[in-house]
Amino acid sequence: MQSPYKNTAKELTSYRKYWAHRFGVAPFLPMSRAEMDELGWDSCDIILVTGDAYVDHPSFGMAVIGRTLEAQGFRVGIIAQPDWQTTDPFKVLGKPNLFFGVTSGNMDSMVNRYTADRRIRSNDSYTPDDEGGKRPDRAVVVYSQRCREAYKNVPIIIGGIEASLRRIAHFDYWSDKVRRSILMDSKADLLLYGNAERALIDVAHRIAKDEDPKTFFDLRGCALMRDASQDDWTEMDQSSIDEALVRDTHNNEKIVVRIPSYETVRDDKELYAQASRVLHLESNPGNARPIIQAHGKRDVWITPPPLPLSTKEMDWVFGHPYARKPHPSYGEARIPAWDMIKFSINIMRGCFGGCSFCSITEHEGRIIQNRSHESVLHEIEDMRDKVDGFKGQISDLGGPTANMYRLACKDEKIQNTCRRLSCVFPSICKNLNTSHESLIELYRKARAVPGVKKISIGSGLRYDLAVKSPTYIKELVTHHVGGYLKIAPEHTEDAPLSKMMKPGIGSYDKFKQMFDAAAKKAGKEYYLIPYFIAAHPGCSDEDMMNLALWLKRHNYRADQVQAFTPTPMSIATAMYYSERNPIKPVRRRGSEFVSTAKGLKQRRLHKAFLRYHDAENWPLLREALKKMGRADLIGNSKKHLVPSWQPKGTGGKGGEGSRTGRKHKKQEFLTTHAGKGRRNFKGKKGAQKR
């Protein structure tokens, strides 16, 4: 019995276009009946519903999906940030001929709406004029329900980061419980996870041929409901903790991996850790098997991850005729997320870092998908010619990680059989090509484009890779740093770093030496600004104290800090909830225990250590240091961490920091993939902002 999941795929551009391609390309995908009338449409074939404002730019998921489907010949409309209290906004474009595509937007709606302390935010960077409250909690579920109420028999396909990271039973930080797969709660017909262009094109053409999306079990990168008994598949049972993960070497056999059911992971934390471990071990598209998880009497069936797009396909996706601006209906309203990225260029997708707290790897995969030099240069020219206000300054030329462009496994056969969770942890894999030459060449070509004056690198830099290429560091410092460069050691202590799957602080020290030397040689005064996470699983009070001492020695002062937020499906979230380490084998009463700061007071303490200089935090820090037996760090000299005196009128806010620190942090641009804020910093002459 051969598996239907092949390691080859039909090229995106090889499909015969749908008949509606004769209508041509829309200047913007329509958001109203009047726009449809202008285009000569009597109906939409596909309607996309999103929690973000519609910005026709390749950094916004709905624009990419919409333009990709348009390029296949389908008439695509967009319903952006609809009022979910009634079905009327979901009927504004009429009934779609094929299906509704539903997403929360570029971010998980709960991460978007709430702080790490579960406090509601007052703003939303993806909304005109930064207005909060324009999307519901659990937006995918709510939007799907309204679509079903509006047009009962229209298929609903859910996708995007919120659906991707909730495809199995998952711990939900905001309700503090394990929730079912979002496929069940939304009652959608099909869930697409990860980068979904390949799957969605196939889905659209198959639905156009009257196929039922509930039967697309041969499609990679999706989740569907299925009866629990499937006689034509052999189950590999991983629902018991003490079962060793046995791998069959024959990839063509129809083997499906069963992980612990929703009911068991809800009630048994060790089984939750086991389910997380198996899911992540089955994440390589070259060797992953389908996974099933029982929810009552039915299974959620998750097919293997999508195959990465080739460079040719990436160029095609980014080469659509994007207007590169917000929809005209927003008028003069400011959309902060658009303001932050309108002069930036994505050159790749994916990340093989595998940081346990980050959702990029779960969503985009570990295999880097690269654009060609020609495609990137063409987009720079397009941006120069189309975007109002361009003055020659490009804010970023990167992706999830700035310097993973064209880095890959040296051997495709090894890549297709590898089951490592990270290519760079606990050390850089010997099979990883770490050459930065193609990226350096791209930087040089981009600087030579007429009209370009300065290119900054705004994406996070993987410094343990950068030190492999002194030429890259020299190129970066000489031409692409503007005052400071942000990097992410995240911590200084080995215990939390091992749970984060991050390199030791020694790697940072080595990079800093090379960075400072390059800056000195270039005659530049640049600062290297590290940033850190508070209250990560595996991080003790002593670890945070040592980090605070490191910060003081290096004269770094954090203006705002970020506590760890348990986002659905990440390995770190599994640690947070289960108090077990799924990076290692999970065994009943034999798993590695992971302690985590969960109570509000302890989480505030960890954040207070990062803001050791804030007088509002001093009473909390003094109390903690005394309990830890480190009263020697309380005093009024430079060697002490916290003064023994207290300024009048301070210290009464319970460790929440000063007034500016207490305000709920306004979102800046939040990345498409990780749902993490873009952090801004000042160096030794000012404040570090997280």
Side-chain angles (χ1 to χ4, degrees), residues 545 621-636 639-644:
M545 176 191 70
L621 291 174
R622 289 192 203 101
E623 178 188 358
L625 289 171
K626 290 175 183 177
K627 288 181 179 179
M628 295 162 65
R630 294 306 309 269
D632 60 298
L633 294 176
I634 303 171
N636 302 323
K639 71 176 184 179
H640 295 105
L641 182 64
V642 182
S644 57

Side-chain angles (χ1 to χ4, degrees), residues 53-105:
Y54 168 35
V55 180
D56 199 52
H57 184 279
S59 287
F60 290 77
M62 279 298 93
V64 173
I65 292 301
R67 290 297 189 183
T68 296
L69 289 169
E70 179 189 58
Q72 294 288 320
F74 299 101
R75 294 168 293 177
V76 182
I78 288 187
I79 299 176
Q81 298 188 312
D83 178 359
W84 63 92
Q85 304 298 328
T86 72
T87 60
D88 292 343
F90 295 82
K91 297 178 180 178
V92 67
L93 300 181
K95 181 179 179 180
N97 300 322
L98 301 180
F99 63 87
F100 278 111
V102 175
T103 178
S104 66

Side-chain angles (χ1 to χ4, degrees), residues 291-519:
I291 291 174
I292 51 177
Q293 183 179 50
H295 285 60
K297 296 181 179 180
R298 302 198 75 197
D299 285 335
V300 173
W301 181 287
I302 302 169
T303 66
L307 295 174
L309 299 185
S310 66
T311 295
K312 180 181 178 181
E313 290 172 320
M314 283 282 286
D315 289 353
W316 179 75
V317 167
F318 280 86
H320 297 321
Y322 300 101
R324 305 191 69 86
K325 63 183 70 174
H327 189 274
S329 64
Y330 301 123
E332 298 300 317
R334 173 177 173 265
I335 302 174
W338 157 243
D339 289 342
M340 287 298 296
I341 58 85
K342 62 183 176 182
F343 299 132
S344 68
I345 305 287
N346 284 325
I347 64 175
M348 60 191 167
R349 288 179 178 172
C351 179
F352 50 71
C355 300
S356 67
F357 53 83
C358 182
S359 58
I360 294 174
T361 298
E362 279 86 352
H363 187 57
E364 294 200 351
R366 293 178 180 82
I367 299 174
I368 306 301
Q369 302 165 72
N370 309 281
R371 297 172 63 186
S372 69
H373 289 185
E374 292 73 22
S375 173
V376 173
L377 297 175
H378 175 75
E379 185 174 352
I380 292 174
E381 293 170 345
D382 197 42
M383 177 178 67
R384 176 197 63 196
D385 298 338
K386 282 185 177 180
V387 181
D388 293 338
F390 181 73
K391 297 179 180 179
Q393 307 287 328
I394 296 177
S395 60
D396 191 19
L397 203 64
T401 304
N403 59 323
M404 287 188 182
Y405 182 75
R406 295 207 177 281
L407 303 193
C409 188
K410 297 175 182 177
D411 189 319
E412 188 174 353
K413 290 183 179 179
I414 294 175
Q415 175 178 283
N416 287 337
T417 57
C418 181
R419 301 183 68 228
R420 285 182 57 151
L421 298 178
S422 168
C423 298
V424 291
F425 180 86
S427 60
I428 296 175
C429 178
K430 64 181 181 181
N431 296 309
L432 180 67
N433 167 32
T434 59
S435 172
H436 287 57
E437 291 305 311
S438 185
L439 181 57
I440 294 170
E441 183 184 354
L442 177 59
Y443 286 175
R444 291 171 178 171
K445 288 180 178 178
R447 293 200 304 269
V449 173
V452 172
K453 298 177 181 178
K454 174 73 175 181
I455 299 174
S456 299
I457 302 304
S459 301
L461 188 76
R462 190 79 193 200
Y463 52 87
D464 51 347
L465 291 171
V467 297
K468 298 291 185 181
S469 176
T471 304
Y472 173 74
I473 295 177
K474 179 182 178 182
E475 189 82 12
L476 181 74
V477 172
T478 304
H479 300 288
H480 301 290
V481 176
Y484 59 84
L485 179 72
K486 59 184 174 66
I487 58 173
E490 304 293 8
H491 217 286
T492 57
E493 305 306 294
D494 289 341
L497 285 172
S498 69
K499 304 304 182 293
M500 296 175 180
M501 298 176 66
K502 294 285 290 187
I505 196 65
S507 294
Y508 163 80
D509 293 335
K510 183 177 180 180
F511 177 78
K512 185 178 187 305
Q513 291 174 1
M514 297 175 70
F515 178 89
D516 289 345

